[in-house]
PDB file of all heavy atoms in Angstrom:
ATOM      1  N   ALA A 166     -12.384   8.882  -9.660  1.00 57.00           N
ATOM      2  CA  ALA A 166     -13.716   9.331  -9.261  1.00 57.00           C
ATOM      3  C   ALA A 166     -14.772   8.389  -9.803  1.00 57.00           C
ATOM      4  O   ALA A 166     -14.774   8.046 -10.977  1.00 57.00           O
ATOM      5  CB  ALA A 166     -13.982  10.741  -9.755  1.00 57.00           C
ATOM      6  N   ILE A 167     -15.694   7.961  -8.911  1.00 52.00           N
ATOM      7  CA  ILE A 167     -16.810   7.119  -9.313  1.00 52.00           C
ATOM      8  C   ILE A 167     -18.059   7.987  -9.374  1.00 52.00           C
ATOM      9  O   ILE A 167     -18.437   8.600  -8.373  1.00 52.00           O
ATOM     10  CB  ILE A 167     -17.022   5.963  -8.316  1.00 52.00           C
ATOM     11  CG1 ILE A 167     -15.765   5.086  -8.278  1.00 52.00           C
ATOM     12  CG2 ILE A 167     -18.238   5.128  -8.704  1.00 52.00           C
ATOM     13  CD1 ILE A 167     -15.824   4.002  -7.245  1.00 52.00           C
ATOM     14  N   PRO A 168     -18.705   8.119 -10.542  1.00 47.00           N
ATOM     15  CA  PRO A 168     -19.860   9.001 -10.666  1.00 47.00           C
ATOM     16  C   PRO A 168     -20.959   8.649  -9.666  1.00 47.00           C
ATOM     17  O   PRO A 168     -21.184   7.480  -9.359  1.00 47.00           O
ATOM     18  CB  PRO A 168     -20.336   8.763 -12.109  1.00 47.00           C
ATOM     19  CG  PRO A 168     -19.129   8.240 -12.813  1.00 47.00           C
ATOM     20  CD  PRO A 168     -18.376   7.443 -11.798  1.00 47.00           C
ATOM     21  N   ALA A 169     -21.646   9.674  -9.163  1.00 45.00           N
ATOM     22  CA  ALA A 169     -22.758   9.465  -8.241  1.00 45.00           C
ATOM     23  C   ALA A 169     -23.958   8.907  -8.981  1.00 45.00           C
ATOM     24  O   ALA A 169     -24.235   9.280 -10.120  1.00 45.00           O
ATOM     25  CB  ALA A 169     -23.121  10.790  -7.572  1.00 45.00           C
ATOM     26  N   ARG A 170     -24.660   7.989  -8.333  1.00 45.00           N
ATOM     27  CA  ARG A 170     -25.838   7.391  -8.961  1.00 45.00           C
ATOM     28  C   ARG A 170     -27.038   8.331  -8.904  1.00 45.00           C
ATOM     29  O   ARG A 170     -27.883   8.319  -9.789  1.00 45.00           O
ATOM     30  CB  ARG A 170     -26.175   6.067  -8.261  1.00 45.00           C
ATOM     31  CG  ARG A 170     -25.148   4.967  -8.491  1.00 45.00           C
ATOM     32  CD  ARG A 170     -25.382   3.807  -7.567  1.00 45.00           C
ATOM     33  NE  ARG A 170     -25.151   4.189  -6.169  1.00 45.00           N
ATOM     34  CZ  ARG A 170     -25.232   3.357  -5.141  1.00 45.00           C
ATOM     35  NH1 ARG A 170     -25.561   2.092  -5.344  1.00 45.00           N
ATOM     36  NH2 ARG A 170     -25.002   3.782  -3.913  1.00 45.00           N
ATOM     37  N   THR A 171     -27.110   9.153  -7.848  1.00 48.00           N
ATOM     38  CA  THR A 171     -28.215  10.096  -7.698  1.00 48.00           C
ATOM     39  C   THR A 171     -27.672  11.427  -7.200  1.00 48.00           C
ATOM     40  O   THR A 171     -26.530  11.513  -6.709  1.00 48.00           O
ATOM     41  CB  THR A 171     -29.261   9.587  -6.688  1.00 48.00           C
ATOM     42  OG1 THR A 171     -28.662   9.550  -5.380  1.00 48.00           O
ATOM     43  CG2 THR A 171     -29.750   8.190  -7.054  1.00 48.00           C
ATOM     44  N   ALA A 172     -28.485  12.486  -7.302  1.00 50.00           N
ATOM     45  CA  ALA A 172     -28.067  13.815  -6.840  1.00 50.00           C
ATOM     46  C   ALA A 172     -27.794  13.815  -5.346  1.00 50.00           C
ATOM     47  O   ALA A 172     -26.973  14.596  -4.851  1.00 50.00           O
ATOM     48  CB  ALA A 172     -29.150  14.838  -7.177  1.00 50.00           C
ATOM     49  N   LYS A 173     -28.467  12.938  -4.607  1.00 53.00           N
ATOM     50  CA  LYS A 173     -28.288  12.891  -3.153  1.00 53.00           C
ATOM     51  C   LYS A 173     -26.875  12.475  -2.764  1.00 53.00           C
ATOM     52  O   LYS A 173     -26.407  12.773  -1.660  1.00 53.00           O
ATOM     53  CB  LYS A 173     -29.301  11.918  -2.533  1.00 53.00           C
ATOM     54  CG  LYS A 173     -30.751  12.395  -2.600  1.00 53.00           C
ATOM     55  CD  LYS A 173     -31.674  11.392  -1.921  1.00 53.00           C
ATOM     56  CE  LYS A 173     -33.120  11.869  -1.962  1.00 53.00           C
ATOM     57  NZ  LYS A 173     -34.043  10.893  -1.310  1.00 53.00           N
ATOM     58  N   GLU A 174     -26.192  11.761  -3.640  1.00 48.00           N
ATOM     59  CA  GLU A 174     -24.844  11.286  -3.338  1.00 48.00           C
ATOM     60  C   GLU A 174     -23.776  12.332  -3.632  1.00 48.00           C
ATOM     61  O   GLU A 174     -22.607  12.123  -3.312  1.00 48.00           O
ATOM     62  CB  GLU A 174     -24.544  10.010  -4.133  1.00 48.00           C
ATOM     63  CG  GLU A 174     -25.385   8.818  -3.710  1.00 48.00           C
ATOM     64  CD  GLU A 174     -24.980   7.555  -4.454  1.00 48.00           C
ATOM     65  OE1 GLU A 174     -24.128   7.652  -5.364  1.00 48.00           O
ATOM     66  OE2 GLU A 174     -25.510   6.482  -4.126  1.00 48.00           O
ATOM     67  N   LEU A 175     -24.151  13.439  -4.248  1.00 48.00           N
ATOM     68  CA  LEU A 175     -23.181  14.476  -4.581  1.00 48.00           C
ATOM     69  C   LEU A 175     -22.849  15.323  -3.356  1.00 48.00           C
ATOM     70  O   LEU A 175     -23.713  15.692  -2.573  1.00 48.00           O
ATOM     71  CB  LEU A 175     -23.726  15.373  -5.698  1.00 48.00           C
ATOM     72  CG  LEU A 175     -23.853  14.726  -7.077  1.00 48.00           C
ATOM     73  CD1 LEU A 175     -24.546  15.676  -8.033  1.00 48.00           C
ATOM     74  CD2 LEU A 175     -22.478  14.350  -7.616  1.00 48.00           C
ATOM     75  N   SER A 176     -21.589  15.638  -3.197  1.00 54.00           N
ATOM     76  CA  SER A 176     -21.120  16.523  -2.140  1.00 54.00           C
ATOM     77  C   SER A 176     -20.081  17.446  -2.743  1.00 54.00           C
ATOM     78  O   SER A 176     -19.633  17.240  -3.882  1.00 54.00           O
ATOM     79  CB  SER A 176     -20.503  15.715  -0.987  1.00 54.00           C
ATOM     80  OG  SER A 176     -19.345  15.028  -1.450  1.00 54.00           O
ATOM     81  N   VAL A 177     -19.681  18.484  -2.004  1.00 56.00           N
ATOM     82  CA  VAL A 177     -18.679  19.420  -2.506  1.00 56.00           C
ATOM     83  C   VAL A 177     -17.385  18.674  -2.821  1.00 56.00           C
ATOM     84  O   VAL A 177     -16.762  18.880  -3.872  1.00 56.00           O
ATOM     85  CB  VAL A 177     -18.422  20.538  -1.482  1.00 56.00           C
ATOM     86  CG1 VAL A 177     -17.261  21.415  -1.953  1.00 56.00           C
ATOM     87  CG2 VAL A 177     -19.675  21.384  -1.292  1.00 56.00           C
ATOM     88  N   SER A 178     -16.988  17.777  -1.911  1.00 57.00           N
ATOM     89  CA  SER A 178     -15.759  17.018  -2.108  1.00 57.00           C
ATOM     90  C   SER A 178     -15.866  16.113  -3.329  1.00 57.00           C
ATOM     91  O   SER A 178     -14.947  16.021  -4.143  1.00 57.00           O
ATOM     92  CB  SER A 178     -15.466  16.179  -0.862  1.00 57.00           C
ATOM     93  OG  SER A 178     -14.341  15.353  -1.073  1.00 57.00           O
ATOM     94  N   ARG A 179     -17.023  15.456  -3.488  1.00 52.00           N
ATOM     95  CA  ARG A 179     -17.201  14.540  -4.606  1.00 52.00           C
ATOM     96  C   ARG A 179     -17.241  15.291  -5.934  1.00 52.00           C
ATOM     97  O   ARG A 179     -16.703  14.840  -6.944  1.00 52.00           O
ATOM     98  CB  ARG A 179     -18.478  13.734  -4.412  1.00 52.00           C
ATOM     99  CG  ARG A 179     -18.570  12.545  -5.361  1.00 52.00           C
ATOM    100  CD  ARG A 179     -19.508  11.503  -4.831  1.00 52.00           C
ATOM    101  NE  ARG A 179     -19.383  10.260  -5.569  1.00 52.00           N
ATOM    102  CZ  ARG A 179     -19.999   9.130  -5.239  1.00 52.00           C
ATOM    103  NH1 ARG A 179     -20.751   9.095  -4.164  1.00 52.00           N
ATOM    104  NH2 ARG A 179     -19.846   8.045  -5.957  1.00 52.00           N
ATOM    105  N   LEU A 180     -17.880  16.459  -5.946  1.00 52.00           N
ATOM    106  CA  LEU A 180     -17.928  17.265  -7.164  1.00 52.00           C
ATOM    107  C   LEU A 180     -16.527  17.690  -7.586  1.00 52.00           C
ATOM    108  O   LEU A 180     -16.203  17.710  -8.771  1.00 52.00           O
ATOM    109  CB  LEU A 180     -18.816  18.493  -6.948  1.00 52.00           C
ATOM    110  CG  LEU A 180     -20.330  18.247  -6.965  1.00 52.00           C
ATOM    111  CD1 LEU A 180     -21.072  19.492  -6.497  1.00 52.00           C
ATOM    112  CD2 LEU A 180     -20.787  17.842  -8.369  1.00 52.00           C
TER     113      LEU A 180
END
Side-chain angles (χ1 to χ4, degrees):
I167 299 175
R170 292 168 294 183
T171 66
K173 291 182 179 180
E174 293 184 354
L175 291 174
S176 64
V177 174
S178 175
R179 193 158 192 173
L180 284 170

